[in-house]
Coordinates of all heavy atoms in Angstrom, one line a residue:
M1 N 0.8 -1.2 0.0 CA 0.0 0.0 0.0 C 0.9 1.2 0.0 O 1.8 1.4 0.8 CB -0.9 0.0 1.3 CG -1.8 1.1 1.4 SD -2.8 0.9 2.9 CE -3.3 2.5 3.2
N2 N 0.6 2.2 -0.9 CA 1.4 3.4 -1.0 C 0.9 4.4 0.1 O -0.3 4.6 0.2 CB 1.2 4.0 -2.4 CG 2.0 3.2 -3.4 OD1 2.9 2.6 -3.1 ND2 1.6 3.3 -4.6
R3 N 1.8 4.9 0.8 CA 1.5 5.9 1.8 C 2.1 7.2 1.4 O 3.2 7.2 0.8 CB 2.0 5.5 3.2 CG 1.3 4.3 3.8 CD 1.9 4.0 5.2 NE 1.3 2.9 5.8 CZ 0.2 2.9 6.5 NH1 -0.4 4.1 6.7 NH2 -0.4 1.9 7.0
P4 N 1.4 8.3 1.7 CA 2.1 9.6 1.4 C 3.4 9.8 2.2 O 3.4 9.3 3.3 CB 1.0 10.7 1.8 CG 0.1 9.9 2.7 CD 0.2 8.5 2.3
S5 N 4.4 10.4 1.6 CA 5.6 10.6 2.4 C 5.4 11.6 3.5 O 4.6 12.5 3.4 CB 6.7 11.1 1.4 OG 6.3 12.3 0.8
T6 N 6.1 11.4 4.6 CA 5.9 12.3 5.7 C 7.3 13.0 6.0 O 8.3 12.5 5.6 CB 5.5 11.5 7.0 OG1 6.5 10.5 7.2 CG2 4.1 10.9 6.8
V7 N 7.2 14.1 6.6 CA 8.4 14.9 6.9 C 8.3 15.2 8.4 O 7.3 15.6 9.0 CB 8.4 16.2 6.2 CG1 9.6 17.1 6.6 CG2 8.4 16.0 4.7
R8 N 9.4 14.9 9.1 CA 9.5 15.2 10.5 C 9.4 16.7 10.8 O 10.1 17.4 10.1 CB 10.8 14.6 11.1 CG 10.9 14.8 12.6 CD 12.1 14.2 13.2 NE 12.0 12.8 13.2 CZ 11.5 12.1 14.3 NH1 11.1 12.7 15.3 NH2 11.5 10.8 14.3
Y9 N 8.5 17.1 11.7 CA 8.3 18.5 12.0 C 9.6 19.1 12.5 O 10.3 18.6 13.4 CB 7.2 18.7 13.0 CG 7.0 20.1 13.4 CD1 6.4 21.0 12.5 CD2 7.4 20.6 14.6 CE1 6.2 22.3 12.8 CE2 7.2 21.9 15.0 CZ 6.6 22.8 14.1 OH 6.4 24.1 14.5
Q10 N 10.0 20.2 11.9 CA 11.2 21.0 12.4 C 10.7 22.2 13.1 O 10.1 23.1 12.5 CB 12.1 21.4 11.2 CG 12.6 20.2 10.4 CD 13.6 19.4 11.1 OE1 14.5 20.0 11.8 NE2 13.6 18.1 11.0
Y11 N 11.0 22.3 14.4 CA 10.6 23.4 15.2 C 11.3 24.6 14.7 O 12.5 24.6 14.6 CB 10.8 23.2 16.7 CG 10.0 24.1 17.5 CD1 8.7 23.8 17.9 CD2 10.6 25.3 18.0 CE1 8.0 24.7 18.7 CE2 9.9 26.2 18.8 CZ 8.6 25.9 19.1 OH 7.9 26.8 19.9
P12 N 10.6 25.7 14.3 CA 11.3 26.9 13.8 C 12.3 27.5 14.8 O 12.0 27.6 16.0 CB 10.2 27.9 13.5 CG 9.0 27.4 14.2 CD 9.2 25.9 14.4
K13 N 13.5 27.9 14.4 CA 14.4 28.5 15.3 C 14.3 30.1 15.3 O 14.9 30.7 16.2 CB 15.8 28.2 14.8 CG 16.1 26.7 14.9 CD 17.6 26.4 14.5 CE 17.9 24.9 14.7 NZ 17.2 24.1 13.7
A14 N 13.6 30.6 14.4 CA 13.5 32.1 14.3 C 12.1 32.4 13.7 O 11.5 31.6 13.0 CB 14.6 32.7 13.5
L15 N 11.6 33.6 14.1 CA 10.3 34.0 13.6 C 10.3 34.0 12.1 O 9.3 33.7 11.4 CB 9.9 35.4 14.2 CG 8.5 35.9 13.9 CD1 7.5 35.0 14.6 CD2 8.4 37.3 14.5
S16 N 11.4 34.3 11.5 CA 11.5 34.4 10.0 C 11.3 33.1 9.3 O 11.0 33.0 8.1 CB 12.8 35.0 9.6 OG 13.9 34.2 10.1
E17 N 11.4 32.0 10.0 CA 11.2 30.7 9.4 C 9.7 30.2 9.5 O 9.3 29.2 8.9 CB 12.0 29.6 10.2 CG 13.5 29.8 10.0 CD 14.3 28.8 10.8 OE1 13.7 27.9 11.4 OE2 15.5 28.9 10.9
I18 N 8.9 31.1 10.1 CA 7.4 30.7 10.2 C 6.7 31.4 9.0 O 6.9 32.6 8.8 CB 6.8 31.3 11.5 CG1 7.5 30.7 12.7 CG2 5.3 31.0 11.6 CD1 7.1 31.2 14.1
P19 N 6.0 30.6 8.2 CA 5.3 31.2 7.1 C 4.2 32.1 7.7 O 3.3 31.6 8.4 CB 4.7 30.0 6.4 CG 4.7 28.9 7.4 CD 5.8 29.2 8.3
L20 N 4.2 33.4 7.3 CA 3.2 34.3 7.9 C 2.4 34.9 6.7 O 2.9 35.1 5.7 CB 3.9 35.4 8.6 CG 4.7 35.0 9.8 CD1 5.5 36.2 10.4 CD2 3.8 34.5 10.9
P21 N 1.2 35.2 7.0 CA 0.4 35.0 8.2 C 0.0 33.5 8.3 O -0.2 32.8 7.3 CB -0.8 35.9 8.1 CG -1.0 36.0 6.6 CD 0.3 35.9 6.0
I22 N 0.0 33.0 9.5 CA -0.4 31.6 9.7 C -1.9 31.4 9.4 O -2.3 30.5 8.8 CB -0.1 31.2 11.2 CG1 1.4 31.1 11.4 CG2 -0.8 29.8 11.5 CD1 1.8 30.8 12.8
A23 N -2.7 32.4 9.8 CA -4.1 32.4 9.5 C -4.5 33.7 8.9 O -4.1 34.7 9.3 CB -4.9 32.1 10.8
Q24 N -5.4 33.6 8.0 CA -5.9 34.8 7.4 C -7.0 35.3 8.3 O -7.7 34.5 8.9 CB -6.6 34.5 6.0 CG -5.6 33.9 5.0 CD -4.8 35.1 4.3 OE1 -5.3 36.2 4.2 NE2 -3.6 34.8 3.9
A25 N -7.2 36.6 8.4 CA -8.3 37.2 9.2 C -9.6 36.7 8.6 O -9.7 36.5 7.3 CB -8.2 38.7 9.1
G26 N -10.6 36.4 9.4 CA -11.8 36.0 8.9 C -12.1 34.5 9.0 O -13.0 34.0 8.3
V27 N -11.2 33.8 9.7 CA -11.5 32.4 9.9 C -12.8 32.2 10.6 O -13.6 31.3 10.2 CB -10.3 31.7 10.8 CG1 -10.7 30.3 11.1 CG2 -9.0 31.8 10.0
L28 N -13.1 33.1 11.6 CA -14.4 33.1 12.1 C -15.3 33.9 11.2 O -14.9 35.0 10.8 CB -14.4 33.7 13.5 CG -13.7 33.0 14.6 CD1 -13.8 33.8 15.9 CD2 -14.3 31.6 14.8
I29 N -16.4 33.4 10.8 CA -17.2 34.1 9.8 C -18.3 35.0 10.4 O -18.8 35.8 9.7 CB -17.9 33.1 8.8 CG1 -18.8 32.1 9.6 CG2 -16.9 32.3 8.0 CD1 -19.6 31.2 8.7
D30 N -18.6 34.8 11.7 CA -19.5 35.7 12.3 C -18.8 36.7 13.1 O -17.9 36.4 13.9 CB -20.5 34.9 13.3 CG -21.4 34.0 12.5 OD1 -21.8 34.4 11.4 OD2 -21.8 33.0 13.0
I31 N -19.2 38.0 13.0 CA -18.6 39.1 13.7 C -19.1 38.9 15.2 O -20.3 38.8 15.4 CB -19.0 40.4 13.2 CG1 -18.3 40.6 11.8 CG2 -18.7 41.5 14.1 CD1 -18.6 41.9 11.1
N32 N -18.1 39.0 16.1 CA -18.4 39.0 17.5 C -19.6 38.1 17.9 O -20.7 38.5 18.3 CB -18.7 40.4 18.0 CG -18.6 40.6 19.5 OD1 -18.2 39.6 20.2 ND2 -18.8 41.8 20.0
S33 N -19.3 36.8 17.8 CA -20.4 35.8 18.1 C -20.8 35.7 19.5 O -21.7 35.0 19.9 CB -20.0 34.4 17.5 OG -18.7 34.1 18.1
G34 N -20.1 36.4 20.4 CA -20.5 36.6 21.8 C -20.0 35.6 22.8 O -20.4 35.7 23.9
F35 N -19.2 34.6 22.4 CA -18.7 33.7 23.4 C -17.5 34.1 24.1 O -17.0 33.5 25.0 CB -18.5 32.3 22.7 CG -17.5 32.2 21.6 CD1 -16.2 32.3 21.9 CD2 -18.0 32.1 20.3 CE1 -15.3 32.2 20.8 CE2 -17.1 32.1 19.3 CZ -15.7 32.1 19.5
R36 N -16.9 35.2 23.7 CA -15.6 35.7 24.3 C -15.9 36.2 25.7 O -16.8 37.0 25.9 CB -15.0 36.8 23.5 CG -13.6 37.2 23.9 CD -13.0 38.3 23.0 NE -13.8 39.5 23.1 CZ -14.0 40.2 22.0 NH1 -13.5 39.9 20.9 NH2 -14.8 41.3 22.1
T37 N -15.2 35.7 26.7 CA -15.3 36.1 28.1 C -14.3 37.1 28.5 O -14.4 37.7 29.5 CB -15.3 34.9 29.0 OG1 -14.1 34.2 28.9 CG2 -16.5 34.0 28.8
S38 N -13.2 37.2 27.8 CA -12.1 38.2 28.1 C -11.5 38.6 26.8 O -11.5 37.8 25.8 CB -11.1 37.7 29.1 OG -10.5 36.5 28.6
R39 N -10.9 39.8 26.8 CA -10.3 40.3 25.6 C -8.8 40.7 25.9 O -8.5 41.1 27.0 CB -11.0 41.5 25.1 CG -11.1 42.7 26.1 CD -11.7 43.9 25.4 NE -13.0 43.7 24.8 CZ -13.5 44.5 23.9 NH1 -12.8 45.6 23.5 NH2 -14.7 44.3 23.4
P40 N -7.9 40.5 24.9 CA -6.5 40.9 25.0 C -6.4 42.4 24.9 O -7.0 43.1 24.0 CB -5.8 40.2 23.9 CG -6.9 40.1 22.8 CD -8.2 40.0 23.5
V41 N -5.6 43.0 25.9 CA -5.4 44.5 25.9 C -3.9 44.6 25.9 O -3.2 44.0 26.7 CB -6.0 45.2 27.0 CG1 -5.7 46.6 27.1 CG2 -7.6 45.0 27.0
F42 N -3.3 45.5 25.0 CA -1.9 45.6 24.9 C -1.4 46.7 25.8 O -2.0 47.8 25.9 CB -1.5 46.0 23.4 CG -1.6 44.8 22.5 CD1 -2.8 44.5 21.9 CD2 -0.5 44.0 22.2 CE1 -2.9 43.5 21.0 CE2 -0.6 43.0 21.3 CZ -1.8 42.7 20.7
D43 N -0.3 46.5 26.4 CA 0.5 47.6 27.1 C 1.6 48.0 26.2 O 2.6 47.3 26.0 CB 1.0 47.0 28.4 CG 1.8 48.1 29.2 OD1 2.2 49.1 28.6 OD2 1.9 47.9 30.5
H44 N 1.4 49.1 25.5 CA 2.3 49.6 24.5 C 3.7 50.0 25.1 O 4.7 50.1 24.3 CB 1.7 50.7 23.7 CG 0.5 50.3 22.9 ND1 0.5 49.3 22.0 CD2 -0.9 50.6 23.1 CE1 -0.7 49.1 21.5 NE2 -1.6 49.9 22.2
E45 N 3.7 50.3 26.4 CA 5.0 50.6 27.0 C 5.9 49.3 27.1 O 7.1 49.4 27.0 CB 4.8 51.1 28.4 CG 4.0 52.4 28.5 CD 4.8 53.6 28.0 OE1 6.0 53.6 28.3 OE2 4.2 54.4 27.3
K46 N 5.3 48.2 27.3 CA 6.0 46.9 27.4 C 6.3 46.3 26.1 O 7.2 45.5 25.9 CB 5.3 45.9 28.3 CG 5.2 46.4 29.8 CD 4.5 45.3 30.6 CE 4.3 45.7 32.1 NZ 3.5 44.7 32.8
C47 N 5.5 46.5 25.1 CA 5.6 45.8 23.8 C 6.9 46.2 23.1 O 7.2 47.4 23.0 CB 4.4 46.2 22.9 SG 4.5 45.5 21.3
V48 N 7.6 45.2 22.6 CA 8.9 45.5 21.9 C 8.7 45.3 20.4 O 9.6 45.4 19.6 CB 10.0 44.6 22.4 CG1 10.3 44.9 23.9 CG2 9.7 43.2 22.2
G49 N 7.5 44.9 20.0 CA 7.2 44.8 18.5 C 7.7 43.5 17.9 O 8.0 43.5 16.7
C50 N 7.9 42.4 18.7 CA 8.5 41.2 18.1 C 7.5 40.5 17.2 O 7.9 39.6 16.5 CB 9.0 40.3 19.3 SG 7.6 39.6 20.3
M51 N 6.3 40.7 17.4 CA 5.2 40.2 16.5 C 4.9 38.7 16.8 O 4.3 38.0 16.0 CB 5.5 40.4 15.0 CG 5.6 41.9 14.7 SD 4.1 42.8 15.1 CE 2.9 42.3 13.9
S52 N 5.4 38.1 17.9 CA 5.2 36.7 18.2 C 3.7 36.5 18.4 O 3.1 35.5 18.0 CB 5.9 36.3 19.5 OG 7.3 36.3 19.2
C53 N 3.0 37.5 19.0 CA 1.6 37.4 19.2 C 0.8 37.3 17.9 O -0.1 36.5 17.7 CB 1.0 38.6 20.1 SG 1.5 40.2 19.4
Y54 N 1.2 38.1 17.0 CA 0.7 38.1 15.6 C 0.8 36.7 15.0 O -0.1 36.2 14.3 CB 1.3 39.2 14.8 CG 1.1 39.1 13.3 CD1 0.0 39.5 12.7 CD2 2.1 38.5 12.5 CE1 -0.2 39.5 11.3 CE2 1.9 38.4 11.1 CZ 0.8 38.9 10.5 OH 0.6 38.8 9.2
A55 N 2.0 36.1 15.2 CA 2.3 34.9 14.5 C 1.5 33.7 15.1 O 1.2 32.8 14.3 CB 3.8 34.5 14.7
V56 N 1.1 33.8 16.3 CA 0.4 32.7 16.9 C -1.2 32.9 16.9 O -1.9 31.9 17.2 CB 0.9 32.3 18.3 CG1 2.3 32.0 18.3 CG2 0.6 33.5 19.3
C57 N -1.6 34.1 16.7 CA -3.1 34.3 16.8 C -3.8 33.4 15.7 O -3.6 33.6 14.5 CB -3.4 35.7 16.5 SG -5.2 36.0 16.4
P58 N -4.7 32.5 16.2 CA -5.3 31.6 15.2 C -6.3 32.3 14.3 O -6.8 31.7 13.3 CB -6.0 30.6 16.1 CG -6.2 31.2 17.4 CD -5.0 32.2 17.5
E59 N -6.7 33.5 14.7 CA -7.7 34.2 13.8 C -7.1 35.4 13.0 O -7.9 36.0 12.3 CB -8.8 34.8 14.7 CG -9.5 33.7 15.6 CD -10.1 32.6 14.7 OE1 -10.4 32.8 13.5 OE2 -10.2 31.5 15.2
G60 N -5.9 35.6 13.1 CA -5.2 36.7 12.4 C -5.8 38.0 12.7 O -6.0 38.9 11.8
T61 N -6.1 38.3 13.9 CA -6.8 39.5 14.3 C -5.9 40.6 14.8 O -6.4 41.7 15.1 CB -7.9 39.2 15.3 OG1 -7.3 38.7 16.5 CG2 -9.0 38.3 14.8
I62 N -4.6 40.3 15.0 CA -3.7 41.3 15.5 C -3.0 42.0 14.3 O -2.6 41.4 13.3 CB -2.6 40.6 16.4 CG1 -3.3 40.0 17.6 CG2 -1.6 41.7 16.8 CD1 -2.4 39.2 18.4
Y63 N -3.0 43.3 14.4 CA -2.4 44.1 13.3 C -1.8 45.4 13.8 O -2.0 45.8 15.0 CB -3.5 44.5 12.2 CG -4.6 45.4 12.8 CD1 -4.6 46.8 12.6 CD2 -5.7 44.9 13.5 CE1 -5.5 47.6 13.1 CE2 -6.7 45.7 14.1 CZ -6.6 47.1 13.9 OH -7.6 47.9 14.4
R64 N -0.9 46.0 13.0 CA -0.2 47.2 13.4 C -1.2 48.4 13.1 O -1.6 48.6 12.0 CB 1.0 47.4 12.6 CG 2.3 46.9 13.3 CD 3.5 47.4 12.5 NE 4.5 46.3 12.3 CZ 5.4 46.0 13.3 NH1 5.4 46.6 14.4 NH2 6.3 45.1 13.0
G65 N -1.5 49.1 14.1 CA -2.3 50.3 14.0 C -1.4 51.6 14.2 O -0.2 51.4 14.4
E66 N -2.0 52.7 14.1 CA -1.2 54.0 14.2 C -0.6 54.1 15.6 O 0.5 54.7 15.8 CB -2.1 55.2 14.0 CG -2.5 55.3 12.5 CD -3.3 56.6 12.2 OE1 -3.5 57.4 13.2 OE2 -3.8 56.7 11.1
S67 N -1.3 53.5 16.7 CA -0.7 53.7 18.0 C -0.2 52.3 18.5 O -0.3 52.0 19.7 CB -1.8 54.2 18.9 OG -3.0 53.3 18.9
G68 N 0.4 51.5 17.6 CA 0.9 50.3 18.1 C 0.0 49.1 17.7 O -0.9 49.3 16.9
L69 N 0.3 47.9 18.2 CA -0.5 46.8 17.9 C -1.9 46.9 18.3 O -2.2 47.4 19.4 CB 0.1 45.5 18.5 CG 1.5 45.1 17.9 CD1 1.9 43.7 18.4 CD2 1.4 45.0 16.4
Q70 N -2.8 46.4 17.5 CA -4.2 46.5 17.8 C -4.9 45.1 17.6 O -4.3 44.3 16.9 CB -4.9 47.5 16.9 CG -4.3 48.9 16.8 CD -4.5 49.7 18.1 OE1 -5.6 49.6 18.7 NE2 -3.5 50.4 18.4
V71 N -6.1 44.9 18.1 CA -6.8 43.7 17.9 C -8.1 44.0 17.2 O -8.8 45.0 17.6 CB -7.1 43.0 19.2 CG1 -7.9 41.7 19.0 CG2 -5.7 42.6 19.9
D72 N -8.5 43.3 16.2 CA -9.8 43.4 15.6 C -10.8 42.6 16.5 O -10.9 41.4 16.3 CB -9.8 42.8 14.2 CG -11.1 43.0 13.5 OD1 -12.1 43.3 14.2 OD2 -11.2 42.8 12.2
Y73 N -11.4 43.3 17.4 CA -12.3 42.6 18.4 C -13.5 42.0 17.7 O -14.2 41.2 18.4 CB -12.7 43.6 19.5 CG -11.5 43.9 20.4 CD1 -11.1 45.3 20.5 CD2 -10.8 43.0 21.2 CE1 -10.0 45.6 21.4 CE2 -9.8 43.3 22.0 CZ -9.4 44.6 22.1 OH -8.3 44.9 22.9
D74 N -13.8 42.4 16.5 CA -14.9 41.8 15.8 C -14.7 40.3 15.6 O -15.6 39.5 15.6 CB -15.2 42.4 14.5 CG -16.0 43.7 14.6 OD1 -16.5 44.0 15.7 OD2 -16.1 44.4 13.6
F75 N -13.4 39.9 15.5 CA -13.1 38.5 15.2 C -12.2 37.8 16.3 O -12.1 36.6 16.2 CB -12.4 38.4 13.8 CG -13.4 38.7 12.7 CD1 -13.3 40.0 12.1 CD2 -14.3 37.8 12.3 CE1 -14.2 40.3 11.1 CE2 -15.2 38.1 11.3 CZ -15.1 39.4 10.7
C76 N -11.7 38.6 17.2 CA -10.9 37.9 18.3 C -11.9 37.1 19.1 O -12.9 37.5 19.6 CB -10.3 39.0 19.2 SG -9.6 38.4 20.7
K77 N -11.5 35.8 19.4 CA -12.3 34.9 20.2 C -11.9 34.8 21.6 O -12.5 34.1 22.4 CB -12.3 33.5 19.5 CG -11.0 32.8 19.5 CD -11.1 31.6 18.6 CE -9.7 30.9 18.5 NZ -9.8 29.7 17.6
G78 N -10.9 35.6 22.0 CA -10.5 35.6 23.4 C -9.8 34.4 23.9 O -9.9 34.1 25.1
C79 N -9.1 33.7 23.1 CA -8.5 32.4 23.5 C -7.3 32.7 24.4 O -7.0 31.8 25.2 CB -8.0 31.6 22.3 SG -6.7 32.5 21.3
G80 N -6.7 33.8 24.3 CA -5.6 34.1 25.2 C -4.2 33.6 24.8 O -3.2 33.8 25.5
I81 N -4.1 33.0 23.6 CA -2.9 32.5 23.2 C -1.8 33.6 23.0 O -0.7 33.4 23.4 CB -3.0 31.7 21.8 CG1 -3.9 30.5 22.0 CG2 -1.7 31.4 21.2 CD1 -4.2 29.7 20.8
C82 N -2.3 34.7 22.5 CA -1.3 35.9 22.3 C -0.7 36.3 23.7 O 0.5 36.5 23.8 CB -2.1 37.0 21.7 SG -3.6 37.6 22.5
A83 N -1.6 36.4 24.7 CA -1.1 36.8 26.0 C -0.1 35.7 26.6 O 0.9 36.1 27.2 CB -2.3 37.0 27.0
K84 N -0.4 34.5 26.4 CA 0.4 33.4 26.8 C 1.8 33.4 26.1 O 2.8 33.2 26.7 CB -0.3 32.1 26.6 CG 0.4 30.9 27.2 CD 0.0 30.6 28.6 CE 0.6 29.3 29.1 NZ 0.5 29.2 30.5
E85 N 1.8 33.8 24.9 CA 3.0 33.8 24.0 C 3.9 35.0 24.3 O 5.1 34.8 24.2 CB 2.6 33.8 22.5 CG 3.7 34.0 21.6 CD 4.6 32.7 21.5 OE1 4.2 31.7 22.0 OE2 5.7 32.8 20.9
C86 N 3.3 36.1 24.8 CA 4.1 37.3 24.9 C 5.1 37.2 26.1 O 4.7 37.1 27.3 CB 3.2 38.5 25.1 SG 4.2 40.0 25.3
R87 N 6.4 37.1 25.8 CA 7.4 37.0 26.9 C 7.6 38.3 27.7 O 8.2 38.3 28.7 CB 8.8 36.6 26.2 CG 8.8 35.2 25.7 CD 10.1 35.0 25.0 NE 10.2 35.8 23.8 CZ 11.3 36.2 23.3 NH1 12.5 36.0 23.9 NH2 11.3 36.9 22.1
F88 N 7.0 39.4 27.2 CA 7.2 40.7 27.8 C 6.0 41.1 28.6 O 6.0 42.2 29.1 CB 7.6 41.7 26.7 CG 8.8 41.3 26.0 CD1 8.7 40.6 24.8 CD2 10.1 41.6 26.4 CE1 9.8 40.2 24.1 CE2 11.2 41.3 25.7 CZ 11.1 40.6 24.5
K89 N 5.1 40.2 28.8 CA 3.9 40.4 29.6 C 3.2 41.7 29.1 O 2.7 42.5 30.0 CB 4.2 40.5 31.1 CG 5.0 39.3 31.6 CD 4.2 38.1 31.6 CE 4.9 36.9 32.2 NZ 4.5 35.6 31.7
A90 N 3.2 41.9 27.8 CA 2.6 43.2 27.3 C 1.1 43.0 26.9 O 0.5 44.0 26.5 CB 3.4 43.6 26.1
I91 N 0.6 41.8 27.1 CA -0.9 41.6 26.8 C -1.6 41.1 28.1 O -1.1 40.1 28.6 CB -1.0 40.6 25.7 CG1 -0.2 41.0 24.4 CG2 -2.5 40.4 25.3 CD1 -0.3 40.0 23.3
S92 N -2.6 41.7 28.4 CA -3.4 41.3 29.6 C -4.8 40.8 29.0 O -5.4 41.5 28.1 CB -3.6 42.4 30.6 OG -2.4 42.9 31.0
M93 N -5.3 39.7 29.6 CA -6.7 39.3 29.3 C -7.6 39.9 30.3 O -7.6 39.6 31.5 CB -6.8 37.8 29.3 CG -5.9 37.1 28.2 SD -6.2 37.6 26.5 CE -7.8 37.0 26.2
V94 N -8.4 40.8 29.8 CA -9.3 41.6 30.6 C -10.8 41.1 30.5 O -11.2 40.9 29.3 CB -9.3 43.1 30.2 CG1 -10.3 43.9 31.0 CG2 -7.9 43.6 30.4
P95 N -11.4 40.7 31.6 CA -12.8 40.2 31.5 C -13.7 41.2 30.7 O -13.6 42.4 30.9 CB -13.2 40.1 32.9 CG -12.0 40.0 33.7 CD -11.0 40.8 33.0
E96 N -14.6 40.6 29.9 CA -15.5 41.4 29.2 C -16.6 42.0 30.2 O -16.8 41.3 31.2 CB -16.3 40.6 28.1 CG -15.4 40.2 27.0 CD -15.1 41.3 26.0 OE1 -15.5 42.4 26.3 OE2 -14.5 41.0 25.0
E97 N -17.1 43.1 30.0 CA -18.1 43.7 30.9 C -19.3 42.7 30.9 O -19.7 42.2 29.9 CB -18.5 45.1 30.4 CG -17.5 46.1 30.7 CD -18.1 47.5 30.4 OE1 -19.3 47.7 30.3 OE2 -17.2 48.4 30.2
G98 N -19.8 42.5 32.1 CA -20.9 41.7 32.3 C -20.5 40.2 32.6 O -21.4 39.4 32.9
E99 N -19.2 39.9 32.4 CA -18.8 38.5 32.7 C -18.2 38.5 34.1 O -17.7 39.5 34.7 CB -17.7 38.1 31.7 CG -18.1 38.1 30.3 CD -19.1 36.9 30.0 OE1 -19.1 36.0 30.8 OE2 -19.9 37.1 29.1
N100 N -18.2 37.3 34.7 CA -17.7 37.1 36.0 C -18.2 38.0 37.1 O -17.5 38.4 38.0 CB -16.1 37.2 36.0 CG -15.5 36.3 34.9 OD1 -16.0 35.2 34.6 ND2 -14.5 36.8 34.2
E101 N -19.5 38.4 37.0 CA -20.0 39.2 38.0 C -20.9 38.4 38.9 O -21.4 37.4 38.6 CB -20.9 40.3 37.4 CG -20.0 41.4 36.7 CD -20.8 42.5 36.0 OE1 -22.0 42.4 36.0 OE2 -20.1 43.4 35.6
Ligands
SF4_201 S1 4.4 39.3 21.6 FE1 4.3 40.9 23.2 S2 6.2 42.1 22.8 FE2 5.9 40.9 21.0 S3 4.7 42.2 19.6 FE3 3.2 40.9 20.8 S4 2.6 42.2 22.5 FE4 4.5 43.1 21.7
SF4_202 S1 -7.1 36.3 22.2 FE1 -6.8 34.7 20.7 S2 -8.0 35.3 18.9 FE2 -7.8 37.1 20.2 S3 -6.0 38.2 19.5 FE3 -5.3 36.8 21.1 S4 -4.7 34.9 20.0 FE4 -5.9 36.2 18.6

């Protein structure tokens, strides 16, 4: 039986080895579907612009705005991966209003 050839996964050593963007914006097709319980908020004083958060966001919702990195909250699902990834603790997950009360 012929099997497709496989390649052992090579963990990238630098951000430049990651094909970007990993995900196109709009993976979620409904705007703000309402299940997000917290949202990422950037501390622009701490951010060094390494773009690791952008690289790992599964929805492609992080982008460079005029005042630093921004999030398209219409499509951010609040997974928190970006905050977990940021080594500089520049992203905080803030509860959405009305949640956890
Ligand atoms: S991972 Fe952190 S430091 Fe890097 S660009 Fe994102 S918010 Fe800024
Ligand atoms: S919380 Fe998740 S979906 Fe929202 S910007 Fe961060 S990684 Fe992307």
